[in-house]
Amino acid sequence: MDGNAAVHAAGIKAMLYSDPNRQAPSDPLYTSDETTFAHDCTGSRIQGAYQQYLMDPASSSLRTLWKNWIASQSVGVTWDAIFEDNANDVLYLPTLPCNYSAGSWLAAAQELNSAQAPTPIIYSGLRIDDEKELNVSPNVIGGLQEGCYSSRDEPKAIKYWALIENNEIAMAQQGKMFLLLWGRHGRREQRGRQPAIYLQFISTDIRSGIDRSVGVVRDAFALPRHAGNASRRSGPTRPDPERHQRSEAD
C-alpha cells in the first residue's frame, strides 16, 4: 500500500528531505563510526552551523547508512525523489577537510549519489561551481537553486541572475529538473515580487525553448494578514503563464 496514495491521486509529487552531508547528534545518519565524518589535518571533525558536522562523501559506511535510511523511510510509501541537502558543499565552514581538493570532493559526491541508485535524487546547491557535474549520476533527476530572481541588490543581482538563467537553461538541456527556492522569505522587500519572479522564470523558458515540464517553483512568500487561515506556503508548483497574462490584461 502506498502511504502517499492520496497525495499522488491529487497530482502532487512527494519528495523526502535528507541531508547525508551534514549531521548533528540528533540526526538519523549520525553514528559512532568515525569514518563517516570529514576531518581536518589535526584529525578533528569539522563543525558548521546548527551543530552539524561535515560528513565524508567518500565514506562507504556513509553511503550504506544513507541507503538504509532511505529504505526505512520508504516502507509502504512511494517517493518521487529524495532531496539531498548540502550536496558537494564545503561553504561556510571554519576549515576545509585535510588535503581537500574540489575535484576529489566532487567525485566522492557523485559516487555518494550513484550508490543510491535506482533511487531518484534531487540535490541542492546549484550556486556552487561545477555543481551540475552531479548530473552524471544516472539516478540524479534534478537540482535546486536558492534565491532565484528575487534579489534587488545591485550590481550583484545582475551577475547572479545571469548565473541563475544559465543554470536553468543548462539543466533543461541535460534533461534535469530545475527547482527554484527563494531566499529571505516574507521580508518586506519581497512583497509584490511574485509576478516578476514567475515571469522571469517563464520568459527564460520561452526565450530558450526550454521544456517547461522540467521546472519547479517553490513559493514561500508570506501572505497578507487578511488571508486568514490560508496556508503560508504553496509548492512545489508550476507557474501558469496564461494566468499571469490574464492578470496583466485585467
Side-chain angles (χ1 to χ4, degrees):
M1 180 178 179
D2 182 4
N4 285 332
V7 172
H8 288 132
I12 301 172
K13 301 292 186 181
M15 181 165 65
L16 177 66
Y17 175 89
S18 70
D19 188 354
N21 302 290
R22 299 282 196 285
Q23 290 286 294
S26 59
D27 290 334
L29 305 187
Y30 186 100
T31 70
S32 60
D33 185 349
E34 202 64 30
T35 67
T36 63
F37 296 91
H39 300 85
D40 62 21
C41 288
T42 69
S44 301
R45 297 180 185 178
I46 301 170
Q47 189 175 45
Y50 310 111
Q51 298 183 323
Q52 291 181 313
Y53 292 96
L54 178 67
M55 308 303 284
D56 184 356
S59 168
S60 59
S61 295
L62 178 63
R63 296 170 188 175
T64 300
L65 277 172
W66 191 24
K67 192 176 188 70
N68 290 343
W69 179 81
I70 291 172
S72 72
Q73 300 301 304
S74 303
V75 176
V77 179
T78 299
W79 302 109
D80 295 284
I82 304 299
F83 182 76
E84 179 195 8
D85 207 354
N86 292 303
N88 186 41
D89 188 350
V90 293
L91 299 175
Y92 312 118
L93 293 169
T95 188
L96 291 173
C98 192
N99 299 320
Y100 168 84
S101 76
S104 61
W105 196 265
L106 172 62
Q110 292 168 335
E111 293 173 7
L112 175 64
N113 288 336
S114 295
Q116 310 312 312
T119 300
I121 303 294
I122 294 177
Y123 59 83
S124 69
L126 276 171
R127 71 192 185 284
I128 299 172
D129 291 342
D130 298 327
E131 190 76 349
K132 291 187 293 296
E133 295 299 321
L134 293 176
N135 293 343
V136 302
S137 299
N139 57 314
V140 166
I141 64 172
L144 177 142
Q145 177 98 42
E146 298 185 19
C148 285
Y149 305 126
S150 60
S151 174
R152 288 181 173 177
D153 299 330
E154 298 289 354
K156 291 182 179 179
I158 296 175
K159 181 178 180 180
Y160 189 51
W161 282 29
L163 170 65
I164 296 168
E165 280 195 323
N166 289 337
N167 281 338
E168 184 176 346
I169 294 168
M171 292 294 283
Q173 289 173 337
Q174 295 181 40
K176 304 294 184 179
M177 295 182 67
F178 178 74
L179 282 73
L180 299 172
L181 174 63
W182 291 303
R184 298 185 290 183
H185 308 316
R187 286 192 179 182
R188 181 173 299 175
E189 64 266 28
Q190 297 299 327
R191 295 175 185 172
R193 295 283 293 158
Q194 296 98 319
I197 294 170
Y198 277 134
L199 289 172
Q200 179 65 32
F201 174 60
I202 295 167
S203 66
T204 299
D205 286 0
I206 294 173
R207 286 184 286 108
S208 305
I210 289 175
D211 175 2
R212 295 180 54 247
S213 67
V214 298
V216 177
V217 174
R218 178 185 175 189
D219 185 340
F221 289 95
L223 294 176
R225 291 182 180 179
H226 63 263
N229 294 325
S231 171
R232 291 174 61 88
R233 294 181 183 271
S234 62
T237 184
R238 283 288 303 176
D240 178 358
E242 294 182 0
R243 176 182 174 187
H244 289 295
Q245 290 169 2
R246 290 195 299 270
S247 297
E248 288 188 336
D250 292 342

